[in-house]
Amino acid sequence: VSTITTFAGSDVGVWEVVRLEPVAGESLESIARLEVIEGIDRVDGARWTLRGVPSYERYVTRVEQRNLIASSPPLGRPEATRAALIPIRKSSGWWDLPQDERREIFERRSHHIATGFKYLPAVARRLYHGRDLGEPFDFLTWFEYAPGDEDRFEELVLTLRATPEWAYVEREVDIRLSREPG
Amino acid sequence: VSTITTFAGSDVGVWEVVRLEPVAGESLESIARLEVIEGIDRVDGARWTLRGVPSYERYVTRVEQRNLIASSPPLGRPEATRAALIPIRKSSGWWDLPQDERREIFERRSHHIATGFKYLPAVARRLYHGRDLGEPFDFLTWFEYAPGDEDRFEELVLTLRATPEWAYVEREVDIRLSREPG
């Protein structure tokens, strides 16, 4: 079952905003803190909210799925006190493509799955889908990692942004977060 | 852009219900008429409402997409005074499968796209996705055809229900509809 998850930009919440930057298209309003709330789609007093559902896999094959499940760490590891929320919207040119051509660009040409896999188990990742909900972003990707893996995470993000897949990204905001240990 | 569409079972609406039958799992409450409303997700006075968005293609290849676009009639043809709404929910066993295995079952083993194609341009079809919206049905498929094509439509539905893909269908309701010409 897909549980809706709401990311609320506000003055409260466990995650402190380290920086919030537009990468493509319009940015989001600056916030001090971020709250992540499962099972609720409205949050009072937030400056903005973004919603998504974990949903099912759109591109992975059986072999990729097996490898990902074996190597993916859970969210909420005590040492993972850094996080990133990267909301993305892709162009209609992407969404009009048939499934085989999207897979071709996504993996054979851009190595999206293989690249993410290289950073496992250091960087935990969860993808939320917002497109069918009518949200302003098609995807919200949430990452968690330890402070010592910050440079590797930066490398992962820059690698993906240099791929042919990213030519279809028309809006992207990069939000980096930090929380107290424990 | 995905426009939400609401199917409202009520006592009003253009479409008269000819029959409403459960095929698998729980049925829906009987209704006299059905309204189809785009862009609105709430309808007052309805006995039930089902919601979906047209969304993007999950399985078709470039060749299939090209053929489908070339042969698919629009909705709302004057002669298409018969319609069917078939809401379906698939099992978690289906949704946990990787993309390649779902495609394998969907098309190579069940010929879902090829079968639908055989009934073009007689049977117009639109698929709405409800899973990410948290709806009780994953899909709402809407069909429109002329009274003379009723037997062929029945054949299409029975063909699909006999496929390996249908082993994953855990809830299905079959609603047949009719409207006045003109």
PDB file of all heavy atoms in Angstrom, chain B residues 107-119:
ATOM      1  N   GLU B 107       2.640  -8.335 -21.768  1.00  0.00           N
ATOM      2  CA  GLU B 107       2.580  -8.385 -23.230  1.00  0.00           C
ATOM      3  C   GLU B 107       3.077  -9.700 -23.833  1.00  0.00           C
ATOM      4  O   GLU B 107       2.374 -10.317 -24.605  1.00  0.00           O
ATOM      5  CB  GLU B 107       3.346  -7.198 -23.831  1.00  0.00           C
ATOM      6  CG  GLU B 107       3.071  -6.989 -25.313  1.00  0.00           C
ATOM      7  CD  GLU B 107       1.587  -6.823 -25.647  1.00  0.00           C
ATOM      8  OE1 GLU B 107       0.815  -6.421 -24.747  1.00  0.00           O
ATOM      9  OE2 GLU B 107       1.190  -7.135 -26.787  1.00  0.00           O
ATOM     10  N   ARG B 108       4.258 -10.194 -23.459  1.00  0.00           N
ATOM     11  CA  ARG B 108       4.760 -11.396 -24.151  1.00  0.00           C
ATOM     12  C   ARG B 108       3.890 -12.600 -23.835  1.00  0.00           C
ATOM     13  O   ARG B 108       3.595 -13.422 -24.695  1.00  0.00           O
ATOM     14  CB  ARG B 108       6.223 -11.683 -23.798  1.00  0.00           C
ATOM     15  CG  ARG B 108       6.946 -12.487 -24.921  1.00  0.00           C
ATOM     16  CD  ARG B 108       8.289 -13.035 -24.486  1.00  0.00           C
ATOM     17  NE  ARG B 108       8.214 -13.877 -23.313  1.00  0.00           N
ATOM     18  CZ  ARG B 108       7.859 -15.170 -23.311  1.00  0.00           C
ATOM     19  NH1 ARG B 108       7.560 -15.788 -24.425  1.00  0.00           N
ATOM     20  NH2 ARG B 108       7.803 -15.852 -22.172  1.00  0.00           N
ATOM     21  N   ARG B 109       3.415 -12.696 -22.571  1.00  0.00           N
ATOM     22  CA  ARG B 109       2.599 -13.848 -22.204  1.00  0.00           C
ATOM     23  C   ARG B 109       1.098 -13.587 -22.323  1.00  0.00           C
ATOM     24  O   ARG B 109       0.340 -14.517 -22.562  1.00  0.00           O
ATOM     25  CB  ARG B 109       2.954 -14.297 -20.776  1.00  0.00           C
ATOM     26  CG  ARG B 109       4.395 -14.853 -20.679  1.00  0.00           C
ATOM     27  CD  ARG B 109       4.704 -15.347 -19.262  1.00  0.00           C
ATOM     28  NE  ARG B 109       3.701 -16.278 -18.788  1.00  0.00           N
ATOM     29  CZ  ARG B 109       3.381 -16.473 -17.502  1.00  0.00           C
ATOM     30  NH1 ARG B 109       4.014 -15.798 -16.560  1.00  0.00           N
ATOM     31  NH2 ARG B 109       2.465 -17.344 -17.163  1.00  0.00           N
ATOM     32  N   SER B 110       0.668 -12.341 -22.145  1.00  0.00           N
ATOM     33  CA  SER B 110      -0.775 -12.072 -22.124  1.00  0.00           C
ATOM     34  C   SER B 110      -1.275 -11.255 -23.323  1.00  0.00           C
ATOM     35  O   SER B 110      -2.478 -11.157 -23.541  1.00  0.00           O
ATOM     36  CB  SER B 110      -1.153 -11.336 -20.831  1.00  0.00           C
ATOM     37  OG  SER B 110      -0.811 -12.106 -19.700  1.00  0.00           O
ATOM     38  N   HIS B 111      -0.351 -10.698 -24.108  1.00  0.00           N
ATOM     39  CA  HIS B 111      -0.717  -9.972 -25.333  1.00  0.00           C
ATOM     40  C   HIS B 111      -1.759  -8.894 -25.090  1.00  0.00           C
ATOM     41  O   HIS B 111      -2.680  -8.710 -25.892  1.00  0.00           O
ATOM     42  CB  HIS B 111      -1.230 -10.967 -26.393  1.00  0.00           C
ATOM     43  CG  HIS B 111      -0.393 -12.196 -26.511  1.00  0.00           C
ATOM     44  ND1 HIS B 111       0.880 -12.176 -27.040  1.00  0.00           N
ATOM     45  CD2 HIS B 111      -0.619 -13.478 -26.126  1.00  0.00           C
ATOM     46  CE1 HIS B 111       1.402 -13.400 -26.996  1.00  0.00           C
ATOM     47  NE2 HIS B 111       0.512 -14.204 -26.432  1.00  0.00           N
ATOM     48  N   HIS B 112      -1.603  -8.182 -23.988  1.00  0.00           N
ATOM     49  CA  HIS B 112      -2.593  -7.181 -23.609  1.00  0.00           C
ATOM     50  C   HIS B 112      -2.703  -6.065 -24.667  1.00  0.00           C
ATOM     51  O   HIS B 112      -3.805  -5.732 -25.112  1.00  0.00           O
ATOM     52  CB  HIS B 112      -2.207  -6.604 -22.236  1.00  0.00           C
ATOM     53  CG  HIS B 112      -3.281  -5.795 -21.601  1.00  0.00           C
ATOM     54  ND1 HIS B 112      -3.653  -5.934 -20.283  1.00  0.00           N
ATOM     55  CD2 HIS B 112      -4.075  -4.813 -22.086  1.00  0.00           C
ATOM     56  CE1 HIS B 112      -4.629  -5.086 -20.011  1.00  0.00           C
ATOM     57  NE2 HIS B 112      -4.894  -4.393 -21.078  1.00  0.00           N
ATOM     58  N   ILE B 113      -1.570  -5.526 -25.075  1.00  0.00           N
ATOM     59  CA  ILE B 113      -1.578  -4.441 -26.063  1.00  0.00           C
ATOM     60  C   ILE B 113      -2.054  -4.959 -27.423  1.00  0.00           C
ATOM     61  O   ILE B 113      -2.913  -4.358 -28.067  1.00  0.00           O
ATOM     62  CB  ILE B 113      -0.168  -3.795 -26.169  1.00  0.00           C
ATOM     63  CG1 ILE B 113       0.238  -3.180 -24.817  1.00  0.00           C
ATOM     64  CG2 ILE B 113      -0.136  -2.744 -27.288  1.00  0.00           C
ATOM     65  CD1 ILE B 113       1.732  -2.885 -24.678  1.00  0.00           C
ATOM     66  N   ALA B 114      -1.514  -6.099 -27.836  1.00  0.00           N
ATOM     67  CA  ALA B 114      -1.883  -6.671 -29.142  1.00  0.00           C
ATOM     68  C   ALA B 114      -3.370  -7.001 -29.202  1.00  0.00           C
ATOM     69  O   ALA B 114      -4.030  -6.785 -30.233  1.00  0.00           O
ATOM     70  CB  ALA B 114      -1.049  -7.925 -29.419  1.00  0.00           C
ATOM     71  N   THR B 115      -3.927  -7.497 -28.102  1.00  0.00           N
ATOM     72  CA  THR B 115      -5.351  -7.841 -28.079  1.00  0.00           C
ATOM     73  C   THR B 115      -6.208  -6.582 -28.198  1.00  0.00           C
ATOM     74  O   THR B 115      -7.133  -6.529 -29.011  1.00  0.00           O
ATOM     75  CB  THR B 115      -5.700  -8.599 -26.784  1.00  0.00           C
ATOM     76  OG1 THR B 115      -4.945  -9.815 -26.774  1.00  0.00           O
ATOM     77  CG2 THR B 115      -7.186  -8.930 -26.708  1.00  0.00           C
ATOM     78  N   GLY B 116      -5.889  -5.563 -27.423  1.00  0.00           N
ATOM     79  CA  GLY B 116      -6.639  -4.308 -27.522  1.00  0.00           C
ATOM     80  C   GLY B 116      -6.562  -3.736 -28.932  1.00  0.00           C
ATOM     81  O   GLY B 116      -7.548  -3.222 -29.465  1.00  0.00           O
ATOM     82  N   PHE B 117      -5.373  -3.878 -29.551  1.00  0.00           N
ATOM     83  CA  PHE B 117      -5.150  -3.337 -30.887  1.00  0.00           C
ATOM     84  C   PHE B 117      -6.074  -3.972 -31.923  1.00  0.00           C
ATOM     85  O   PHE B 117      -6.548  -3.301 -32.847  1.00  0.00           O
ATOM     86  CB  PHE B 117      -3.682  -3.542 -31.284  1.00  0.00           C
ATOM     87  CG  PHE B 117      -3.295  -2.828 -32.527  1.00  0.00           C
ATOM     88  CD1 PHE B 117      -3.089  -1.455 -32.533  1.00  0.00           C
ATOM     89  CD2 PHE B 117      -3.166  -3.520 -33.732  1.00  0.00           C
ATOM     90  CE1 PHE B 117      -2.752  -0.784 -33.692  1.00  0.00           C
ATOM     91  CE2 PHE B 117      -2.837  -2.852 -34.895  1.00  0.00           C
ATOM     92  CZ  PHE B 117      -2.622  -1.486 -34.880  1.00  0.00           C
ATOM     93  N   LYS B 118      -6.358  -5.268 -31.760  1.00  0.00           N
ATOM     94  CA  LYS B 118      -7.237  -5.996 -32.690  1.00  0.00           C
ATOM     95  C   LYS B 118      -8.634  -5.382 -32.764  1.00  0.00           C
ATOM     96  O   LYS B 118      -9.346  -5.579 -33.736  1.00  0.00           O
ATOM     97  CB  LYS B 118      -7.396  -7.461 -32.231  1.00  0.00           C
ATOM     98  CG  LYS B 118      -6.335  -8.395 -32.746  1.00  0.00           C
ATOM     99  CD  LYS B 118      -6.521  -9.802 -32.171  1.00  0.00           C
ATOM    100  CE  LYS B 118      -7.908 -10.397 -32.456  1.00  0.00           C
ATOM    101  NZ  LYS B 118      -8.078 -11.707 -31.755  1.00  0.00           N
ATOM    102  N   TYR B 119      -9.048  -4.692 -31.706  1.00  0.00           N
ATOM    103  CA  TYR B 119     -10.407  -4.147 -31.649  1.00  0.00           C
ATOM    104  C   TYR B 119     -10.450  -2.659 -31.970  1.00  0.00           C
ATOM    105  O   TYR B 119     -11.463  -1.999 -31.774  1.00  0.00           O
ATOM    106  CB  TYR B 119     -11.034  -4.462 -30.289  1.00  0.00           C
ATOM    107  CG  TYR B 119     -11.157  -5.960 -30.099  1.00  0.00           C
ATOM    108  CD1 TYR B 119     -10.117  -6.715 -29.552  1.00  0.00           C
ATOM    109  CD2 TYR B 119     -12.296  -6.622 -30.537  1.00  0.00           C
ATOM    110  CE1 TYR B 119     -10.213  -8.089 -29.428  1.00  0.00           C
ATOM    111  CE2 TYR B 119     -12.407  -7.999 -30.411  1.00  0.00           C
ATOM    112  CZ  TYR B 119     -11.359  -8.728 -29.851  1.00  0.00           C
ATOM    113  OH  TYR B 119     -11.467 -10.083 -29.739  1.00  0.00           O
TER     114      TYR B 119
END
